[in-house]
Amino acid sequence: MIFKFYNTKTAKKEEFIPSNPNEVKIYSCGPTVYNFAHIGNIRSFLFVDVLRRALKLGGFHLNQTMNITDIDDKIIREAIAGGVSVEEFTKPWTDAFFEDLKSLNIQSLEHYPKATESIGDMISIVGKLKEKGLAYEKDGSLYYSIQKFSKYGKLSHIDVSGMKSGARYDADEYEKEDVRDFVLWKNRKTEGEKAWESELGIGRPGWHLECSAMIRKIYNSGIDIHTGGIDLLFPHHENEVALSEGAFPEETFVGTWLHCEHLLVDGEKMSKSKGNFYTLRDILAKGYDVKQIRYHLISAHYRSKLNFSLKKLDESKQALERLQNTLFRIMSVLDFNWDKLDSSQSDLLRERIKTERIRSFVIDFEAAVADDLNIPKALAAIFDFVREVNSGLDSNAWDNNNLTEMIYSFQVFDQILGLLSFEKPLETIDANDKTNIEEKIAERIMAKQNKDFAKADSIRKELLEQGIQLLDNKDGTTSWKRNQ
Ligand code: AMP
Ligand code: ZN
């Protein structure tokens, strides 16, 4: 597969050629662990997952990193307010982040470094910047002099001509219009504040340093791909470039920059500060399942804004059921042993799909994925395939070889989707069990009518433990199925 990516740096779609295909180096800005991730954040984590799965499907070997920001202005404020240490404050949120990844079937990356474990690496970058005359001191803190870095503004394509010389910013986040020198090392302002003792004084590093330092620590070189949400392009990524290329001018910091667009709610960016956010748990508590959330969030192109709505979650469920039911339908007519392969064997999968009519859909699917991760187009290829499969099943047009190849095709699709079940459904269910399930459903409907949602949830859970999944619609539970 030949990949093309839209590179923010050049504002062009380019062929992706990593410096070493046996170790593609990818870094993604990760969560700030001061609360549950909202599903806007989760969209950006799912984007990293799709990128990973796509490159693996293309045969690349990956060495990926996502950082955990466990120290910043907000975290310090909240830890002080709660009377706990920064570590105590961030631990449960870090755990919750990993739980969310797991439940969304997001693949684990090779590294998840924490900011607080990389302070020495940050200090050493500041040392290099001082040597090169790019840093200066003011009131005990250190700042980056952006006028001395001629490439400043090139990544985010901003005009720096109106830049105020010597104007400074201490805050971690600020607006695009406000181009100023940013802080490298903040001296401690109050006694209780988390601080480190170093040759730069007692204080803590500015947030932008974190990613540059971790990339240095893990790869000791530049990287092939850097990703993040579009909100991070300025100032954060622009500052990362200034830091890394300022400290190591002999190397290119990042080959390809990929930025994921925002998730919106009612046309506005979903964000914690606006209060218009849902966490994954909020949505699960409403009775939706993780698969439909995953489907919804990956189904739009990563460079398009995506307007979140509960109605679209319902549509996602239907779309997903159409895929899964087609797969079950094939499995129910095919009495054949096939082995489930993983993405490292994707060449093997491809080889097994020989029938031209079937293969063409897989080719279209892969071409769409390789073309700047065009998932909407890839999904269109899957649904064309599903239509073809079903019409052939209706007319008994497929032989066992065809059906087996279709299962392999679904396996290729699922390397990216991460949503399908390949276990054969149990066809029979005991009449007693059936009555019991239906009684439980009636009990749950009553509980919901009485607003006893805890009971309703516990019944759902109990049935799920028995392998029964309830299918809710807006009028309540109307059906159920054996969970795969
Ligand atoms: P944070 O936890 O705020 O540091 O953000 C983690 C990641 O989520 C970053 O890559 C952000 O750019 C991204 N992000 C934040 N809000 C949204 C949103 N509404 N839609 C998509 N990505 C977002
Ligand atoms: Zn970053």
Side-chain angles (χ1 to χ4, degrees), residues 8 43 66 73 89 91 112 118 122 144 152 166 170 180 185 195 213 215 226 250 320 331 349 413 419 439 464 483:
T8 311
R43 182 186 188 196
M66 181 178 278
D73 297 343
F89 175 72
K91 169 90 172 63
Y112 291 100
S118 315
M122 300 191 213
Y144 191 107
Y152 198 83
D170 271 16
R180 301 194 203 180
W185 186 260
I215 290 171
H226 194 313
E250 62 290 348
L320 198 49
M331 292 198 285
L349 274 174
F413 304 149
L419 287 164
E439 279 171 3
L464 203 57
N483 199 31

Side-chain angles (χ1 to χ4, degrees), residues 26-157:
I26 306 177
Y27 181 92
S28 301
C29 294
T32 309
V33 281
Y34 72 107
N35 203 328
F36 290 119
H38 62 61
I39 55 167
N41 304 133
I42 285 175
R43 182 186 188 196
S44 76
F45 307 144
L46 279 167
F47 158 63
V48 176
D49 189 51
V50 169
L51 173 67
R52 176 179 180 87
R53 288 165 173 268
L55 289 172
K56 278 169 79 177
L57 184 65
F60 290 108
H61 296 274
L62 309 179
N63 186 358
Q64 263 182 286
T65 303
M66 181 178 278
N67 68 308
I68 309 281
T69 300
D70 59 350
I71 180 98
D72 84 337
D73 297 343
K74 292 184 285 263
I75 290 175
I76 292 181
R77 229 174 16 238
E78 304 244 352
I80 292 174
V84 290
S85 70
V86 162
E87 292 74 15
E88 282 164 335
F89 175 72
T90 54
K91 169 90 172 63
W93 302 123
T94 310
D95 293 346
F97 164 70
F98 285 111
E99 277 164 26
D100 286 352
L101 296 192
K102 193 155 179 250
S103 68
L104 285 155
N105 199 16
I106 290 179
Q107 295 184 350
S108 283
L109 307 183
E110 285 68 24
H111 315 275
Y112 291 100
K114 288 183 181 161
T116 50
E117 291 164 3
S118 315
I119 304 292
D121 307 274
M122 300 191 213
I123 292 169
S124 105
I125 291 195
V126 178
K128 285 234 178 299
L129 295 171
K130 277 174 79 179
E131 271 169 32
K132 297 201 157 55
L134 290 164
Y136 66 91
E137 196 195 313
K138 179 82 189 160
D139 301 331
S141 289
L142 278 169
Y143 296 86
Y144 191 107
S145 175
I146 56 176
Q147 271 190 329
K148 297 215 173 116
F149 182 68
S150 62
K151 287 190 268 178
Y152 198 83
K154 294 277 187 299
L155 173 66
S156 51
H157 309 286

Side-chain angles (χ1 to χ4, degrees), residues 328-398:
F328 282 157
R329 201 174 163 201
I330 300 168
M331 292 198 285
S332 69
V333 288
L334 181 74
D335 199 14
F336 186 81
N337 257 347
W338 48 274
D339 25 298
K340 191 162 175 347
L341 301 177
D342 66 33
S343 58
S344 59
Q345 297 162 300
S346 48
D347 283 345
L348 251 177
L349 274 174
R350 265 180 224 117
E351 266 170 40
R352 291 178 179 189
I353 307 165
K354 294 196 168 66
T355 309
E356 202 46 50
R357 232 172 118 195
I358 299 172
R359 201 182 163 91
S360 69
F361 296 102
V362 176
I363 291 172
D364 288 352
F365 169 82
E366 291 188 337
V369 168
D371 181 13
D372 198 26
L373 308 179
N374 193 337
I375 302 301
K377 205 164 165 201
L379 285 171
I382 300 179
F383 282 100
D384 287 345
F385 167 82
V386 161
R387 213 168 299 120
E388 179 91 356
V389 169
N390 280 309
S391 78
L393 282 168
D394 293 341
S395 57
N396 283 325
W398 306 119

Side-chain angles (χ1 to χ4, degrees), residues 199-225:
E199 68 250 33
L200 307 174
I202 301 180
R204 67 186 168 91
W207 168 55
H208 304 291
L209 260 175
E210 182 182 314
C211 297
S212 293
M214 293 189 192
I215 290 171
R216 197 79 222 159
K217 170 161 110 169
I218 288 169
Y219 301 108
N220 199 24
S221 70
I223 53 172
D224 298 299
I225 300 179

Side-chain angles (χ1 to χ4, degrees), residues 157-324:
H157 309 286
I158 54 161
D159 178 11
V160 295
S161 56
M163 183 161 84
K164 300 178 213 90
S165 171
R168 280 172 299 279
Y169 236 109
D170 271 16
D172 286 332
E173 290 165 49
Y174 46 94
E175 296 300 318
K176 191 160 180 161
E177 297 71 41
D178 225 345
V179 185
R180 301 194 203 180
D181 291 345
F182 60 94
V183 72
L184 295 168
W185 186 260
K186 308 186 197 198
N187 69 344
R188 186 169 65 180
K189 307 254 170 8
T190 56
E191 265 297 311
E193 201 175 291
K194 176 91 185 169
W196 285 263
E197 254 190 85
S198 79
E199 68 250 33
L200 307 174
I202 301 180
R204 67 186 168 91
W207 168 55
H208 304 291
L209 260 175
E210 182 182 314
C211 297
S212 293
M214 293 189 192
I215 290 171
R216 197 79 222 159
K217 170 161 110 169
I218 288 169
Y219 301 108
N220 199 24
S221 70
I223 53 172
D224 298 299
I225 300 179
H226 194 313
T227 82
I230 191 75
D231 55 319
L232 298 182
L233 175 54
F234 188 89
H236 181 51
H237 291 161
E238 194 67 59
N239 290 351
E240 273 190 45
V241 175
L243 290 163
S244 293
E245 296 198 352
F248 305 98
E250 62 290 348
E251 51 183 64
T252 304
F253 175 43
V254 173
T256 306
W257 283 91
L258 302 181
H259 286 98
C260 169
E261 257 296 349
H262 282 145
L263 185 71
L264 309 179
V265 196
D266 303 325
E268 274 203 81
K269 180 191 166 198
M270 181 176 287
S271 77
K272 282 171 195 148
S273 56
K274 288 202 184 96
N276 62 347
F277 67 92
Y278 291 106
T279 66
L280 184 61
R281 289 143 218 259
D282 292 337
I283 301 176
L284 295 178
K286 288 181 190 292
Y288 297 94
D289 65 44
V290 271
K291 286 194 176 187
Q292 65 194 123
I293 299 168
R294 179 175 167 100
Y295 185 96
H296 180 32
L297 295 180
I298 68 173
S299 64
H301 193 278
Y302 77 92
R303 284 195 292 117
S304 305
K305 292 187 173 63
L306 173 61
N307 212 349
F308 177 78
S309 78
L310 297 175
K311 184 168 159 274
K312 286 205 208 124
L313 281 181
D314 291 330
E315 289 166 13
S316 296
K317 183 169 198 118
Q318 283 166 14
L320 198 49
E321 275 175 6
R322 183 153 164 74
L323 302 186
Q324 187 66 66

